[in-house]
Structure formats: C-alpha cells, structure tokens
C-alpha cells in the first residue's frame, strides 16, 4: 500500500505553540532617515523565500565581527487583510543545516539593516540591494494592539505600506525596483510620486 499524497485538503496545520505574534508597521522611505548614514553600523541580510511556501531561510552577517546567524522561518498573517499582525516561528541553524536547506528553489532578497531610536521606539531601516536597489523600508514593532492601531506615520516616512502586500518579502522577492515603482504609480500609494526622487 502506497503512502497517500499530501494535499491542502488532507493536511492539517495546527496552531503552533512556538509561534510568536509580531505587531509592526511598515513604511516606505525616500532614503535613510537623517539620523543614519550608510557608514553607520548595520547588518547584512540575505533572505531566500522557498517557492510556493510560507518559509524563508535568513542569513544575517555582522560586518564588524564577520559572524553569521542563520534562521529558518515561517511567517504569515492569520488574517490576510491585516498584515500588521503576523505569526512567526524561527529555528536557528548550524552551518551544516543551513547548507542542507539551501538546496531548495528559492528567491533571494539582499539588504542592509540599520537601527535607530525614534520617540522611544526602535526603528529598523532596510536598504535593499541587487534588483531592488533604491527601495528603502522601515519597520516599527509594538507590544500591544492599542499602540499599533493608534500609531501615526512618522515624519521620515513617505507612506504607511503596512497592508500593501506588494511590500512583503514574499512578494518583493519576485520583483525589481522598477516593478515596485510602477506598482506604486498604478496603485496611487504615494501622491505626486513622480515628483519624488528615490535613490
């Protein structure tokens, strides 16, 4: 007797007790905020999104120490219309485990991540590299729903793109910066976009 094929209909995905709820807002930026420069300390991140899944392999390098951290991650929004709340599960990998998982077909994103404090909150700013060079996004995390829901767009941001699926890693890994620019224009995400110079 053969083993039954796994399908979306016959495979259960129970709630994971290991998943953490992330609350965050995402913003489109013109460039690094004035508090930061490209020479400031940052992390180098390579994300590989495994085709057809909610999984990614993230490699993080600290240029100051030349040390790597590798995470195998599942991340998704339980409510697809609210991307500000996602469930994330991380497994930290050894070099051998990371190498074994690198065999899967994946779509790569590379970026430099900077951090700074703004009004008592930690802000992470991603400057994308490669095909997405020119795209700059910031994320701010929140501990509770009330803070998340009442938070206003900071002055260094062009637009709140939290609920724009276009700006999720799982979508960006298939795009170029020119694709993103065209989508911004098409969707009117940013008024007077043609007058704004992105790097």
């Amino acid at each position: 007797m053969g083993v039954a094929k796994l399908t979306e209909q016959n495979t259960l995905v129970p709630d994971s007790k290991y998943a953490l709820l992330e609350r965050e807002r995402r913003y489109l930026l013109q460039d690094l905020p004035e508090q930061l420069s490209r020479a400031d300390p940052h992390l180098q991140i390579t994300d590989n999104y495994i085709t057809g899944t909610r999984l990614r392999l993230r490699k993080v390098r600290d240029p100051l120490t030349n040390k790597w951290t590798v995470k195998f991650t599942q991340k998704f929004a339980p409510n697809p219309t609210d991307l500000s709340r996602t469930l994330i599960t991380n497994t930290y990998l050894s070099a051998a485990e990371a190498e074994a998982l690198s065999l899967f077909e994946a779509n790569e994103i590379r970026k430099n991540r900077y951090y700074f404090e703004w009004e008592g909150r930690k802000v992470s700013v991603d400057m994308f590299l490669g095909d997405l060079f020119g795209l700059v996004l910031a994320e701010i995390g929140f501990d509770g729903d009330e803070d998340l829901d009442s938070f206003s767009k900071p002055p260094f941001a062009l637009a709140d793109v939290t609920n724009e699926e276009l700006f999720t890693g799982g979508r960006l890994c298939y795009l170029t910066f020119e694709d993103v620019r065209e989508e911004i224009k098409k969707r009117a995400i940013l008024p007077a976009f043609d007058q704004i110079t992105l790097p």
Side-chain angles (χ1 to χ4, degrees):
M1 184 179 210
V3 177
K5 180 177 172 153
L6 297 178
T7 68
E8 294 299 326
Q9 290 71 38
N10 72 10
T11 305
L12 300 176
V13 184
D15 291 338
S16 171
K17 65 180 180 180
Y18 303 107
L20 297 175
L21 178 64
E22 274 192 344
R23 299 174 183 87
E24 57 190 14
R25 290 210 170 278
R26 184 175 293 116
Y27 299 97
L28 177 65
L29 276 58
Q30 184 167 352
D31 203 342
L32 288 179
E34 61 183 19
Q35 298 93 326
L36 294 172
S37 77
R38 285 168 174 75
D40 283 339
H42 61 277
L43 298 174
Q44 297 170 338
I45 296 175
T46 303
D47 284 334
N48 291 99
Y49 289 83
I50 298 176
T51 305
T53 76
R54 303 177 294 179
L55 303 172
R56 77 174 180 217
L57 184 65
R58 169 167 285 186
K59 294 180 262 187
V60 182
R61 177 179 176 266
D62 184 343
L64 296 177
T65 64
N66 198 29
K67 299 289 186 185
W68 294 82
T69 304
V70 184
K71 296 186 284 188
F72 190 49
T73 300
Q74 181 192 67
K75 184 174 182 178
F76 64 95
N79 176 357
T81 65
D82 178 12
L83 303 181
S84 67
R85 294 164 176 86
T86 56
L87 289 175
I88 184 166
T89 309
N90 285 313
T91 301
Y92 290 87
L93 304 180
S94 68
E97 291 165 339
E99 183 65 25
L101 287 175
S102 70
L103 299 176
F104 289 105
E105 183 182 352
N107 304 283
E108 185 177 274
I109 289 178
R110 292 184 297 117
K111 58 193 180 183
N112 290 338
R113 175 165 289 178
Y114 299 80
Y115 295 99
F116 74 101
E117 293 283 331
W118 183 77
E119 293 194 352
R121 297 188 181 277
K122 187 176 185 179
V123 181
S124 63
V125 179
D126 290 337
M127 291 197 72
F128 288 77
L129 305 171
D131 289 344
L132 288 167
F133 182 75
L135 180 63
V136 183
L137 296 176
E139 290 181 349
I140 301 176
F142 301 86
D143 293 327
D145 291 329
E146 187 176 337
D147 280 351
L148 170 70
D149 293 334
S150 63
F151 192 75
S152 299
K153 177 175 72 72
F156 54 81
L158 295 174
D160 183 332
V161 294
T162 302
N163 281 315
E164 293 285 347
E165 187 260 347
L166 171 69
F167 294 98
T168 62
R171 182 81 174 91
L172 287 172
C173 68
Y174 296 103
L175 303 174
T176 67
F177 182 55
E178 284 309 311
D179 295 332
V180 174
R181 288 176 65 95
E182 288 305 311
E183 286 296 321
I184 290 172
K185 289 178 189 174
K186 192 187 304 180
R187 301 180 191 198
I189 291 170
L190 201 54
F193 179 69
D194 288 331
Q195 281 76 51
I196 294 171
T197 304
L198 295 179

